[in-house]
Amino acid sequence: MDVFPAFFPLAGRSVAIAGEGEGAEAKARLFDGSPATVLRLSPGEALDPKAYAGVSLAFIAGEDDQWAASAAEAARAASVPVNVVDRPALCDFTTPAVIDRGEVVAAIGTGGASPMLATMLRQDIEARVPEGAGRVAALFRTMQGEIRDALPEAAARRRFLRAQLNGPAAEAAMAGDMDGARERLRAALFEGPQMAGRIRYVDARGPADLLTLRALRALASADVLVLDAEAHPEVIALARRDAERLTGAEVERLVEFAAEGLTVARLIAGAGWRTEQAALDSRGVTTEVLPIAS
């Protein structure tokens, strides 16, 4: 990892955009609808360090190289991190391609090397992130205290939240019914978390871009990865980094995982998985195929 991605809170912050032209306007559009205060600095104002007092981030946009370097120097003199449009060597940080879903924000960066590539990847990912995702995030934020009080044990809380992300509460939030979503989430808390685990079979022969959205979500949410030795590295790389990983596992071990309420992503690359699935089904373990080619 050549750069460290981080999300910067904007509430109560000021952002300076120095210069004129399309580059400056593009940076200003990044903050449409955000809680940040946007300060527009003229080319002359941008050369005075005092203009950046109280500013958290500065964006410099202009055609003149010498002016851009001087404006960046002025911002740094005020201890403000700087992004200079189209001049990576002058930047303290680069601007990613952003997917904005309210409280859900995704960003793709290339360290300034290829903004067009970042844009292309953003478009690909954006199609996979539904418009209502931000409302789902808002639901869990507003209910965070109630959920923590009801489920103080972290592992149980994670299992409950994972189940609810695909449950009626999330569906209601996605549709815009926030009152109904809160009612459903409280009802699920009152009933108690569902502890039954499941085994999800994912075709791991690769390449990764052939995976379905459901398979990607299974990889992202799995507590345990059980891999065939031939599982494609690109597919494995999409799984949670903190998930337990095993190469192969006996049916009894998979039954134990399910009994513990864990979700297992079974990454398969061979043909023997159907016998394993049948054995699990006979033991009452919930299995799911996402989907698998014959």
Side-chain angles (χ1 to χ4, degrees), residues 1 16 24 32-33 45 61 134 146 205 217 236 242 266 281 286:
M1 184 167 64
D32 286 348
E45 293 171 326
E146 291 182 51
R205 292 173 296 178
R217 288 175 174 170
I236 298 172
D242 60 342
R266 181 70 175 89
D281 289 341
T286 300

Side-chain angles (χ1 to χ4, degrees), residues 204-206 227-233 236 247 267-271:
R205 292 173 296 178
L227 320 170
D228 281 357
E230 300 82 7
H232 199 290
I236 298 172
T247 301
L267 274 60
I268 61 170

Side-chain angles (χ1 to χ4, degrees), residues 182-250:
R182 284 187 287 270
E183 290 177 5
R184 288 169 172 81
L185 195 55
R186 287 193 179 101
L189 274 174
F190 179 78
E191 294 167 359
Q194 300 298 311
M195 299 299 291
R198 65 177 58 195
I199 314 298
R200 288 177 165 147
Y201 285 87
V202 177
D203 189 337
R205 292 173 296 178
D209 60 3
L210 296 180
L211 293 175
T212 64
L213 180 56
R214 289 178 65 195
L216 290 170
R217 288 175 174 170
L219 291 171
S221 64
D223 299 298
V224 181
L225 303 180
V226 178
L227 320 170
D228 281 357
E230 300 82 7
H232 199 290
E234 288 183 6
V235 176
I236 298 172
L238 295 172
R240 279 175 53 193
R241 293 190 179 186
D242 60 342
E244 182 180 352
R245 301 186 180 203
L246 302 173
T247 301
E250 300 294 331

Side-chain angles (χ1 to χ4, degrees), residues 201 274-288:
Y201 285 87
R274 293 188 184 277
T275 301
E276 178 184 285
Q277 184 196 24
L280 291 170
D281 289 341
S282 70
R283 300 286 296 274
V285 175
T286 300
T287 64
E288 186 177 4

